[in-house]
Amino acid sequence: MDTIIIFDLGGQYTHLITRRVRDLGIYAEILPFDVKLDKLNNINPKAIILSGGPNSIYEENSPKLTKEFFQFTFKNKIPVLGICYGHHLIMYHQGGKIESKKKKEYGKANITILKSELLFESLEKEEIVWMSHGDQITEMSEGFEIYAKTETCPIAAYGNQEKLLFGVQFHPEVSNTPKGNRILENFIFNIAKCKKEWKLEGWIEQTIENLKGEIGPVKKVILGLSGGVDSSVVAVLLHKAIGNRLHCIFVNNGVLRKEEEIEVQKTFRENLKFENFHYIDAEDKFLQKLKNVEDPEEKRRIIGHTFIEVFENKTIELEKVFPEIKFLAQGTIYPDRVETSATSSVSAKIKSHHNLTLPENMMLEIIEPLRDLYKDEVRKIGVQLGLPKEIILRHPFPGPGLAVRIIGSVEKEKLNTLRDADEILIEEIKKAGIYEDLWQAFCVFLPLKTVGIMGDFRTYENICAIRVVESVDVMTANFAKLDMDLLEKISTRIINEVKGFNRVVYDISNKPPSTIEYE
Ligand code: XMP
């Protein structure tokens, strides 16, 4: 299968480039920019894309490539496309000059295309692109041709057909470059001559076959099922591969959304006919441990550790009855893996959201069938596997659950108040037909008492904050500009129907600088 390698040079869009390439039907993978040439040689990529990055080329320690790398791509006729920092990097190594501009160029720009073939085939003479840089190329090396310019950036794109090196100063991978996909297509299909072979349909059958082979006819598998998309898809894949030799453990940690434990059990036990679905009600245990804990990181730690404890105990109990349990399946997906292992030393450090990893001393072999997939690919597979839409399209929910949506200490009464409000919010958002357009929508419990009036009585209750955001890649998010009438309806219903809140506020902060969650 044709593969395109994306070099991680520390930019925020590395994953986005990879996803775009996969969407175009080519398998793409991220590697550190200083990967050994032997490894590249084994992969035998059809093309390499150099991502953007936060550095300036002349900064000490900024990521650099090697002469041998360019010899390798030249010898093997592998086209290389540099984006933003990658665009500078190619030119730097080829002997061109890059200068820092005092004024950073950020946002939409008009480019004039000077060469309407290769990268820019089928584009208009003038196009809109998204710029984000402080440096630009001021001198090109021999053999390179300018493909596009803007008013302030005379070398906005270049190419060298003999060496198969190409660069764009702007970001074709972001949606703010309307013809960006076309540019990537031109690179992938016209220049790199890739064949569209990356399809998810074949992936499912192949993965089920692989799982059967790996697990064999007798051994059993244990899986921590949260009811989220990733673990649910893993569960169904495994169930198809080994049937009831799959044991799922679902832990009610007391900080789930309203009736979540009932819905998950219904889906897997009743609808999907999982026989070995083990429900553990550990609500009291978790809430006991969370008592009077106010620090968010402490809450996370407690919930994480308690989960592992409960999970381990159940596994040990099951192992006594089923000694054939030899594997632990996990719903790890590609960004979890790539972000936590930070593909290269320059990867901008991203807050890791520690999808729970279980202790190594469990002596179980790990199975991660989704390890190479992105979330949207997992969702597509979920649809094809027939998982209910409610699971596939459900908004992300943090592992520490409602505990990080209650500021300060977590108690049952607050949890119930928050659950009721959250249910109303989601119900109204679904009724308005916008649930699927949103990244997340949830309520937050602010233990701040303010005065209200209900009938003839003064009330003194807490504040419910509503957080609704749109996002594509979770790194950035904007608050949703919800319709005022809808907000009014939500607010009225929460105040009237939920005991414990007498005021509702709408959060109008974007990420960054605010995060999506409150804690
Ligand atoms: P922030 O708040 O950093 O959240 O903008 C980004 C995404 O991560 C989710 N999130 C978590 N997920 N454990 C998780 O499994 C956590 O501790 C955690 N904290 C935040 C959040 O819901 C959002 O989708």
Side-chain angles (χ1 to χ4, degrees):
M1 182 166 56
D2 287 350
T3 299
I4 291 188
I5 292 298
I6 321 295
F7 271 7
D8 180 3
L9 291 154
Q12 56 176 326
Y13 297 130
T14 313
H15 276 297
L16 193 56
I17 302 170
T18 317
R19 280 176 48 191
R20 292 274 183 262
V21 176
R22 288 194 188 182
D23 280 347
L24 292 171
I26 314 298
Y27 183 70
E29 234 183 78
I30 301 172
L31 284 180
F33 69 91
D34 49 4
V35 58
K36 295 260 182 311
L37 289 181
D38 282 355
K39 182 161 180 190
L40 264 189
N41 198 26
N42 286 343
I43 295 174
N44 189 19
K46 285 292 274 188
I48 295 174
I49 299 180
L50 312 179
S51 76
N55 296 83
S56 266
I57 216 89
Y58 296 112
E59 263 169 33
E60 218 185 312
N61 300 328
S62 64
K64 302 281 184 339
L65 296 170
T66 57
K67 209 165 70 208
E68 289 73 28
F69 168 77
F70 287 102
Q71 282 166 352
F72 169 81
T73 59
F74 183 66
K75 192 176 117 220
N76 294 293
K77 298 197 174 48
I78 301 173
V80 182
L81 172 68
I83 295 177
C84 199
Y85 181 79
H87 165 84
H88 304 151
L89 193 59
I90 294 176
M91 196 47 76
Y92 167 82
H93 285 287
Q94 299 298 314
K97 243 198 196 152
I98 293 94
E99 277 177 25
S100 280
K101 294 205 340 176
K102 278 204 191 77
K103 204 167 154 275
K104 204 168 145 62
E105 196 171 348
Y106 187 81
K108 281 190 182 164
N110 285 312
I111 54 163
T112 306
I113 289 169
L114 305 172
K115 191 175 175 86
S116 302
E117 44 188 285
L118 295 163
L119 272 188
F120 297 120
E121 202 182 290
S122 324
L123 267 74
E124 303 296 324
K125 267 264 154 285
E126 304 279 327
E127 292 284 356
I128 293 169
V129 297
W130 185 257
M131 291 281 194
S132 164
H133 69 108
D135 298 353
Q136 67 178 36
I137 297 171
T138 50
E139 227 180 277
M140 292 224 293
S141 50
E142 232 175 84
F144 283 78
E145 197 182 339
I146 302 180
Y147 283 8
K149 63 174 186 180
T150 74
E151 228 167 59
T152 54
C153 180
I155 308 171
Y158 60 70
N160 180 327
Q161 272 173 266
E162 194 207 331
K163 292 188 171 171
L164 291 173
L165 299 175
F166 304 87
V168 287
Q169 173 67 75
F170 54 88
H171 289 276
E173 69 276 21
V174 303
S175 54
N176 291 328
T177 299
K179 296 276 179 65
N181 245 359
R182 183 70 228 211
I183 298 170
L184 290 175
E185 273 180 306
N186 285 338
F187 176 69
I188 293 170
F189 300 112
N190 296 353
I191 298 175
K193 311 262 185 274
C194 289
K195 288 190 286 297
K196 276 189 190 220
E197 285 166 327
W198 170 242
K199 273 200 238 92
L200 290 172
E201 287 80 5
W203 186 95
I204 296 180
E205 285 156 30
Q206 190 58 50
T207 303
I208 293 175
E209 279 314 302
N210 292 349
L211 286 170
K212 281 184 183 164
E214 195 178 346
I215 300 161
V218 182
K219 291 177 184 163
K220 298 189 162 75
V221 179
I222 199 127
L223 167 73
L225 185 59
S226 70
V229 183
D230 304 340
S231 63
S232 299
V233 169
V234 171
V236 176
L237 278 171
L238 279 163
H239 197 246
K240 284 197 186 297
I242 60 165
N244 291 323
R245 282 187 286 136
L246 169 69
H247 286 258
C248 296
I249 298 180
F250 177 83
V251 179
N252 179 354
N253 60 8
V255 287
L256 302 174
R257 286 162 287 191
K258 192 160 180 176
E259 302 198 338
E260 198 163 352
E261 70 284 8
I262 299 171
E263 281 162 31
V264 176
Q265 289 188 73
K266 198 167 149 214
T267 302
F268 287 92
R269 274 214 185 112
E270 289 175 28
N271 302 352
L272 297 170
K273 312 273 181 250
F274 277 43
E275 267 177 34
N276 292 315
F277 182 99
H278 309 282
Y279 172 71
I280 305 175
D281 183 358
E283 183 183 15
D284 291 345
K285 187 182 184 96
F286 278 84
L287 294 190
Q288 186 57 36
K289 292 200 180 200
L290 283 169
K291 209 169 172 183
N292 299 325
V293 177
E294 297 194 351
D295 177 60
E297 287 310 308
E298 184 63 8
K299 290 182 195 172
R300 281 195 167 80
R301 201 189 60 75
I302 292 172
I303 293 170
H305 286 183
T306 313
F307 176 83
I308 289 172
E309 188 191 316
V310 172
F311 189 87
E312 245 183 328
N313 288 343
K314 184 68 192 177
T315 308
I316 292 165
E317 186 191 312
L318 287 171
E319 277 172 334
K320 286 189 189 133
V321 191
F322 307 104
E324 308 87 355
I325 293 180
K326 297 288 178 208
F327 295 92
L328 171 71
Q330 289 184 330
T332 319
I333 62 170
Y334 192 55
D336 299 336
R337 227 161 36 87
V338 176
E339 264 163 32
T340 42
S341 65
T343 63
S344 69
S345 50
V346 294
S347 276
K349 284 273 176 269
I350 305 153
K351 182 173 160 194
S352 64
H353 282 314
H354 27 251
N355 267 342
L356 276 178
T357 38
L358 291 155
E360 281 162 18
N361 62 10
M362 282 183 76
M363 305 290 286
L364 295 169
E365 245 180 272
I366 305 284
I367 304 186
E368 292 174 328
L370 310 179
R371 65 198 309 276
D372 291 328
L373 301 184
Y374 281 102
K375 194 82 162 188
D376 49 346
E377 294 173 325
V378 175
R379 287 206 164 107
K380 282 185 198 149
I381 285 172
V383 171
Q384 286 174 29
L385 288 171
L387 267 166
K389 213 169 138 201
E390 293 72 45
I391 288 190
I392 306 286
L393 298 174
R394 197 154 203 196
H395 292 165
F397 186 61
L402 299 180
V404 290
R405 293 181 180 170
I406 292 176
I407 312 303
S409 65
V410 180
E411 289 126 32
K412 203 160 175 173
E413 200 181 330
K414 289 181 190 166
L415 282 161
N416 286 336
T417 300
L418 187 58
R419 282 189 184 113
D420 288 345
D422 205 65
E423 190 188 32
I424 292 173
L425 170 71
I426 298 299
E427 196 181 302
E428 289 301 330
I429 292 232
K430 283 191 174 162
K431 255 201 254 166
I434 55 172
Y435 182 83
E436 289 170 23
D437 305 328
L438 301 167
W439 179 266
Q440 270 172 300
F442 56 89
C443 293
V444 181
F445 189 106
L446 305 182
L448 265 178
K449 301 258 177 173
T450 68
V451 177
I453 181 136
M454 284 282 245
D456 293 334
F457 297 98
R458 268 163 72 91
T459 57
Y460 197 52
E461 293 289 2
N462 305 287
I463 301 179
C464 173
I466 294 183
R467 182 75 167 139
V468 184
V469 295
E470 290 165 348
S471 173
V472 189
D473 57 8
V474 89
M475 307 280 294
T476 59
N478 291 330
F479 76 87
K481 312 321 177 259
L482 291 190
D483 177 64
M484 283 294 165
D485 291 336
L486 174 63
L487 280 173
E488 184 178 25
K489 198 165 171 197
I490 293 166
S491 147
T492 310
R493 277 198 62 195
I494 290 177
I495 295 171
N496 285 342
E497 297 174 34
V498 181
K499 200 172 149 283
F501 288 136
N502 66 351
R503 191 175 297 272
V504 172
V505 294
Y506 190 57
D507 185 339
I508 53 168
S509 338
N510 291 334
K511 172 184 178 176
S514 304
T515 51
I516 297 176
E517 301 289 345
Y518 272 41
E519 287 200 329

